[in-house]
Amino acid sequence: GQSLEQPSEVTAVEGAIVQINCTYQTSGFYGLSWYQQHDGGAPTFLSYNALDGLEETGRFSSFLSRSDSYGYLLLQELQMKDSASYFCAVLGNYGQNFVFGPGTRLSVLP
Amino acid sequence: DTEVTQTPKHLVMGMTNKKSLKCEQHMGHRAMYWYKQKAKKPPELMFVYSYEKLSINESVPSRFSPECPNSSLLNLHLHALQPEDSALYLCASSQDRTSGYNEQFFGPGTRLTVL
């Protein structure tokens, strides 16, 4: 089977940097994705890592260490609109399984 | 067009009703997905269609029946549901499932209430 762990809640202030960690267990690992979901909205794709290292997209970066089964999402220059739930998701079993983590609720305070 | 559309937005049905949820995308994606999401929980994968063939059924009860009439459309037929099936049903699509890259585009969802 597959399992993922994320912190349930993170709070930070505007302009700060926050890191959301994700650890996973799976076989046949293909990649780790990150999605953002605002209350009442649909999940929106943020990033995908298949290889070790850092991927940067604007204010958001995502990191993967395959040997540690660990990844993180880094959000810089936080804005109020970044308040949302953030899910990591693993594509495992050689591409046959896609499972979301439990989600991290990010609250950005003024 | 980078949009996935879903109808209806809201649906209330009794346990003896039959209804269908519809999903459409015009991005040329060849993989389409149904998810169920309960409040404050992550989306749970239900079905995956790849090139219009059902490739994954995550042990979903038979009262949920998916259908993929063509590469742009995905339906979810509902029959004899239970109150615990009340949830947000999300449709998503991605380019394909063979490349490994898995950016999924989600529709806004159908909020289903079973009475």
Side-chain angles (χ1 to χ4, degrees), chain B residues 67-80:
Chain B
E67 178 196 19
C68 189
N70 60 55
S71 61
S72 299
L73 292 174
L74 188 65
N75 298 322
L76 186 63
H77 302 298
L78 314 172
H79 173 55

Side-chain angles (χ1 to χ4, degrees), chain A residues 73-86:
Chain A
L73 180 69
L74 191 73
L75 297 87
Q76 303 182 75
E77 300 172 20
L78 281 174
Q79 302 175 8
M80 298 292 288
K81 67 178 182 179
D82 297 329
S83 293
S85 292
Y86 292 83

Side-chain angles (χ1 to χ4, degrees), chain A residues 26-72:
Chain A
T26 188
S27 56
F29 177 84
Y30 261 27
L32 189 72
S33 303
W34 288 91
Y35 286 81
Q36 177 193 61
Q37 187 176 27
H38 287 99
D39 286 346
T44 303
F45 174 84
L46 294 176
S47 68
Y48 177 78
N49 294 69
L51 303 175
D52 287 354
L54 191 68
E55 295 278 344
E56 297 180 72
T57 308
R59 294 188 297 115
F60 294 1
S61 303
S62 58
F63 172 82
L64 175 67
S65 169
R66 294 173 65 123
S67 60
D68 295 322
S69 296
Y70 163 76
Y72 65 73

Side-chain angles (χ1 to χ4, degrees), chain A residues 82-93:
Chain A
D82 297 329
S83 293
S85 292
Y86 292 83
F87 296 95
C88 59
V90 68
L91 183 61
N93 195 19

Side-chain angles (χ1 to χ4, degrees), chain A residues 35 37 42 48 95-96 98 101, chain B residues 35 37 42 56 97 100 102 104 107:
Chain A
Y35 286 81
Q37 187 176 27
Y48 177 78
Q96 294 304 304
F98 187 73
Chain B
Y35 289 87
Q37 187 175 27
I56 293 179
R97 295 192 66 247
N102 194 251
Q104 295 185 27

